[in-house]
Amino acid sequence: VKFAGTNLSIISRSADLLKISYTVLYDPLVMNNNGELISDTNIKPVEIAIDSHIQNLPFNGVLNLTKLTDSIQEAQGVIDPIIQTAEAKYGALAYVPIINDYNANAGHMAIDPAFPLTTQINYVANV
């Protein structure tokens, strides 16, 4: 809400891109080595947790890797998620490593389609 006559400039930008990789130790009685539930191979709990976490960040919210890892930890079948790398970029800029927090230039983020989660998560059975 602004006073009458206040000039506004609204800019819509493409999402900052996230490139992230994890090693996930999983329960082999619940999940297979592709990250799919044994009870329903159409469901990939880790990918769902990551996508959900990123989509539910508030606009201009900060991506916190600890909280992302916590979200993955809660996914069905996950024993221990171990982050390997996390990088983000905006537009044509180069990727920058994320130490723990990242404030997106565009105000929102998306997984880089050149680095889909299916190729960036290594599943290891916890036996």
Side-chain angles (χ1 to χ4, degrees):
V1 176
K2 301 285 182 194
F3 291 109
T6 302
N7 292 324
L8 297 176
S9 177
I10 299 172
I11 301 170
S12 181
R13 299 179 179 167
S14 297
D16 286 36
L17 297 179
L18 178 63
K19 180 170 66 167
I20 193 160
S21 66
Y22 272 90
T23 295
V24 175
L25 301 177
Y26 68 92
D27 181 347
L29 298 175
V30 177
M31 192 183 294
N32 64 27
N33 63 348
N34 292 321
E36 304 159 338
L37 290 180
I38 292 173
S39 61
D40 185 349
T41 56
N42 293 316
I43 297 175
K44 292 186 170 191
V46 174
E47 292 182 29
I48 291 169
I50 293 170
D51 286 334
S52 176
H53 185 85
I54 292 168
Q55 291 174 3
N56 289 315
L57 288 173
F59 186 77
N60 278 342
V62 173
L63 173 69
N64 177 281
L65 295 179
T66 303
K67 291 178 181 176
L68 175 60
T69 301
D70 289 346
S71 294
I72 297 168
Q73 179 70 47
E74 294 176 9
Q76 187 177 359
V78 173
I79 302 294
D80 193 14
I82 305 160
I83 192 161
Q84 301 299 317
T85 60
E87 299 176 304
K89 74 173 189 165
Y90 174 70
L93 298 175
Y95 272 101
V96 295
I98 302 172
I99 303 305
N100 195 49
D101 292 328
Y102 180 78
N103 194 356
N105 290 296
H108 59 110
M109 302 187 76
I111 298 295
D112 188 335
F115 301 96
L117 294 176
T118 54
T119 64
Q120 299 297 303
I121 301 172
N122 180 35
Y123 294 97
V124 178
N126 188 43
V127 290

